[in-house]
Amino acid sequence: MNFTLHQLQVFLKVSETKSITKAAEELYLTQPAVSIQLKNFQDQFDIPLTEVVGRQLYVTDFGQEIAFAAQAIVDQVNAINYKLAAYKGQLSGRLKIASVSTGKYVIPYFLSGFIQENPQVELKLDVTNKVQVLNSLTENEIDFALVSILPDKLPIQAVPLMENKLYLVSGKRFASEADSLGMDVFQQLTLIYREQGSGTRITMEDFLNRMKIPVKKTLVLTSNEAVKQAVIAGLGCSIMPMIGIKNELKQGDLRIIQVDGLPIQTYWNLIYLKSKRLSPAAEAFLAYLEREKEHIIQQNF
């Protein structure tokens, strides 16, 4: 056998994403380049590593065993590189963070300076919904998670980052002469929700339930951007975090509906398992946040 480290990395990414297209995007390669590397790697085995059923790519049982072995090899290579960087006095290693969807407007600002200071640190940032974020944390797949709702049952440490305010938002065609509206306005609106598992949806539902507000017309969409565009188009209104709509408010595409009891105020927290043995890179990131957090907030928010 004469496989290369690059082939192992490509196969691992294909195994992880179950897609040549997604693997190419995450590796910053073209689809043909990924396909060629995957074929060259497969040619060294008599047993299939992957199979395509319909239009979906699957990793075979044998392929999963090879992926497990490949991960061990790649981890050892990374360990050698980290040790070399440490010997040179440079901070190195992997920093793995998962963020809820709305957190994509927050977490990059807290990471950029740290990564610039420590170019040898490899960053893996996954942006998904709250359920997947907490699952990654529970399975010890990540160092930190960024959430706006703290989990009840997980033994965690929390590092508060900044406040998170949510407002009732409409498109520019919504008209009201009142400075502030009562709760009965919700019964006149079509409300647009995020999907089940979204932290923004949980916050929105908790508020409506706490205020005992009956909602008749609803629409469910699967991303913040989809909700935002639907509100701009006039399909309905939604309770949304200020952090994700500042530009649209400035441009006049969205407007805040002033309602008694709003905004809802939560807090962005970086959390990690109490039992987690943090890597040098993770420890250094916590120290960086303690030192730079207030400056980052003042400069960017």
Side-chain angles (χ1 to χ4, degrees):
M1 287 194 178
N2 191 29
F3 51 77
T4 66
L5 179 62
H6 184 52
Q7 288 172 353
L8 291 178
Q9 292 168 329
V10 168
F11 176 62
L12 279 172
K13 187 57 68 175
V14 170
S15 301
E16 176 188 331
T17 61
K18 307 294 190 298
S19 166
I20 289 176
T21 301
K22 291 180 180 178
E25 290 174 355
E26 295 191 19
L27 292 169
Y28 301 102
L29 298 172
T30 64
Q31 290 184 42
V34 169
S35 296
I36 290 170
Q37 292 299 324
L38 183 62
K39 181 182 183 302
N40 290 341
F41 189 58
Q42 172 64 78
D43 286 346
Q44 300 180 68
F45 299 92
D46 296 329
I47 303 173
L49 301 172
T50 62
E51 58 185 354
V52 177
V53 180
R55 300 180 65 181
Q56 179 63 49
L57 184 146
Y58 296 90
V59 181
T60 65
D61 290 343
F62 178 69
Q64 290 175 4
E65 292 188 23
I66 296 301
F68 182 80
Q71 186 65 65
I73 294 171
V74 171
D75 287 345
Q76 286 298 315
V77 172
N78 288 334
I80 292 171
N81 291 332
Y82 300 154
K83 288 177 181 178
L84 176 60
Y87 189 78
K88 293 179 177 179
Q90 300 172 334
L91 180 67
S92 61
R94 282 186 176 182
L95 183 63
K96 295 175 285 186
I97 299 176
S99 169
V100 296
S101 299
T102 310
K104 68 185 177 185
Y105 302 110
V106 176
I107 192 63
Y109 294 98
F110 290 92
L111 284 166
S112 60
F114 177 76
I115 296 301
Q116 289 171 14
E117 288 181 8
N118 303 283
Q120 297 296 323
V121 172
E122 179 185 345
L123 173 65
K124 181 179 180 183
L125 176 61
D126 184 26
V127 178
T128 182
N129 68 31
K130 180 173 179 283
V131 171
Q132 293 299 322
V133 167
L134 294 183
N135 183 63
S136 295
L137 189 67
T138 303
E139 296 297 321
N140 198 32
E141 296 172 351
I142 56 176
D143 299 307
F144 302 108
L146 181 69
V147 296
S148 60
I149 303 173
L150 294 176
D152 294 327
K153 299 179 181 179
L154 278 180
I156 59 163
Q157 294 279 15
V159 180
L161 292 185
M162 57 180 287
E163 66 180 9
N164 179 38
K165 290 185 178 181
L166 296 92
Y167 292 84
L168 180 62
V169 180
S170 74
K172 57 187 176 184
R173 290 193 291 270
F174 183 90
S176 173
E177 299 297 328
D179 293 333
S180 183
L181 301 175
M183 292 296 177
D184 57 347
V185 69
F186 284 97
Q187 299 179 45
Q188 307 167 26
L189 304 174
T190 296
L191 280 184
I192 304 175
Y193 287 73
R194 283 285 308 279
E195 79 284 5
Q196 288 286 354
S198 159
T200 299
R201 175 169 178 149
I202 293 170
T203 301
M204 184 172 170
E205 288 181 327
D206 285 349
F207 170 77
L208 296 173
N209 291 334
R210 189 171 68 252
M211 297 299 177
K212 299 180 181 179
I213 300 170
V215 179
K216 297 178 181 178
K217 298 179 180 179
T218 62
L219 179 65
V220 178
L221 298 174
T222 56
S223 73
N224 292 309
E225 290 303 316
V227 172
K228 187 191 301 183
Q229 293 305 317
V231 173
I232 290 173
L235 285 176
C237 300
S238 189
I239 294 177
M240 303 186 70
M242 172 66 77
I243 192 71
I245 59 174
K246 287 183 176 180
N247 289 336
E248 289 75 14
L249 289 171
K250 287 180 182 178
Q251 295 165 4
D253 294 325
L254 293 176
R255 57 176 295 184
I256 291 174
I257 305 174
Q258 298 293 343
V259 178
D260 298 336
L262 289 174
I264 305 167
Q265 184 163 324
T266 62
Y267 225 84
W268 288 110
N269 286 275
L270 196 72
I271 63 175
Y272 59 98
L273 295 175
K274 283 185 177 180
S275 59
K276 178 74 174 177
R277 185 176 179 180
L278 295 176
S279 67
E283 291 277 11
F285 182 54
L286 287 182
Y288 171 82
L289 289 179
E290 183 177 355
R291 185 177 74 248
E292 299 291 341
K293 179 175 70 173
E294 294 304 322
H295 175 70
I296 293 170
I297 292 171
Q298 291 174 9
Q299 190 174 45
N300 298 287
F301 302 102

